[in-house]
Amino acid sequence: MFENIETKRLILKCINPSDREFIFEEFQNDFVNQYLFDAEPMTEIKEADDLIEFYNMKEPRNQHRWVLINKLEKLKMGTCGFHLWDREKNQVEIGFELMQQYTGKGYMSEAVEALIEFARTNMKVNKIIAIVYIENRNCKRLLEKFGFKMVGKEECSFRGSMYLHDICELELLQG
């Protein structure tokens, strides 16, 4: 079901073991981790292998991840994907990260647009959910651009502290 996606400037490549060094670099990066409150930054390459294995479980699965690759320069810039796909409720949660040197150039906007279309067309979901740390203004602006609405708040406990997150939803029309 999950396949590579091509946009004007990007290839969203299905994550696989060849991405282990990039995944390790990305998820140990302070900029990428500043708003992630669900796992410690990676410290061992095996953690990258485990993440890749999780996103490559046999289908049907409830999660998938792509690596964002700049088509022109063949650079790996970030990751994006889905998790917690609930087929009965026709909804899925979206997540994405971009290395700092590639921010502000519209890459993630292009990737998220492609993910929304993939979710609508291939996954047939009616709702996409995003859980965003309240201080992650760039992420919230990006979601608002695509019509996500804030529908609630959620507290997340991490490292002995509580972090407030906005729950954002995008209703999709099928057909």
Side-chain angles (χ1 to χ4, degrees), residues 84 91-94 127-136 139-140 143-144 147-156 163-171:
L84 302 175
Q91 65 185 33
V92 70
E93 190 173 313
I94 192 171
K127 184 187 296 180
I128 301 176
I129 300 166
I131 311 294
V132 184
Y133 181 55
I134 59 167
E135 293 182 19
N136 192 343
C139 181
K140 290 197 297 189
L143 294 170
E144 287 168 4
F148 280 78
K149 305 287 184 216
M150 209 253 290
V151 297
K153 301 226 180 260
E154 172 180 284
E155 281 192 325
C156 171
Y163 297 92
L164 192 59
H165 289 70
D166 288 322
I167 302 170
C168 304
E169 293 181 352
L170 176 65
E171 298 284 341

Side-chain angles (χ1 to χ4, degrees), residues 26-53:
E26 180 182 39
F27 287 101
Q28 68 176 348
N29 182 281
D30 290 337
F31 179 79
V32 168
N33 281 289
Q34 70 182 321
Y35 298 125
L36 299 180
F37 299 106
D38 59 353
E40 293 290 340
M42 290 184 179
T43 58
E44 298 179 19
I45 193 77
K46 182 184 180 334
E47 295 168 292
D49 295 334
D50 293 343
L51 185 79
I52 291 166
E53 185 178 323

Side-chain angles (χ1 to χ4, degrees), residues 2-20:
F2 295 104
E3 57 195 26
N4 292 347
I5 301 170
E6 190 168 336
T7 69
K8 181 179 177 188
R9 299 181 297 163
L10 301 172
I11 294 174
L12 279 60
K13 182 186 79 64
C14 295
I15 193 171
N16 68 47
S18 72
D19 300 309
R20 74 190 298 247

Side-chain angles (χ1 to χ4, degrees), residues 40-135:
E40 293 290 340
M42 290 184 179
T43 58
E44 298 179 19
I45 193 77
K46 182 184 180 334
E47 295 168 292
D49 295 334
D50 293 343
L51 185 79
I52 291 166
E53 185 178 323
F54 173 74
Y55 283 109
N56 277 289
M57 288 194 290
K58 188 174 184 245
E59 291 190 42
R61 61 179 177 264
N62 298 324
Q63 69 280 342
H64 188 73
R65 203 104 189 129
W66 288 271
V67 175
L68 276 73
I69 300 174
N70 177 309
K71 286 195 315 193
L72 186 62
E73 300 168 10
K74 309 288 190 252
L75 293 171
K76 294 178 182 182
M77 302 183 297
T79 57
C80 61
F82 299 114
H83 47 277
L84 302 175
W85 181 12
D86 186 329
R87 289 170 175 83
E88 289 181 18
K89 291 183 180 177
N90 292 321
Q91 65 185 33
V92 70
E93 190 173 313
I94 192 171
F96 43 85
E97 300 81 27
L98 192 63
M99 298 292 275
Q100 185 172 14
Q101 62 268 37
Y102 306 113
T103 62
K105 297 175 174 68
Y107 293 120
M108 193 53 75
S109 182
E110 196 171 315
V112 168
E113 182 175 17
L115 288 185
I116 291 169
E117 185 56 31
F118 185 90
R120 175 187 290 116
T121 306
N122 297 58
M123 299 167 76
K124 307 291 188 212
V125 298
N126 298 323
K127 184 187 296 180
I128 301 176
I129 300 166
I131 311 294
V132 184
Y133 181 55
I134 59 167
E135 293 182 19

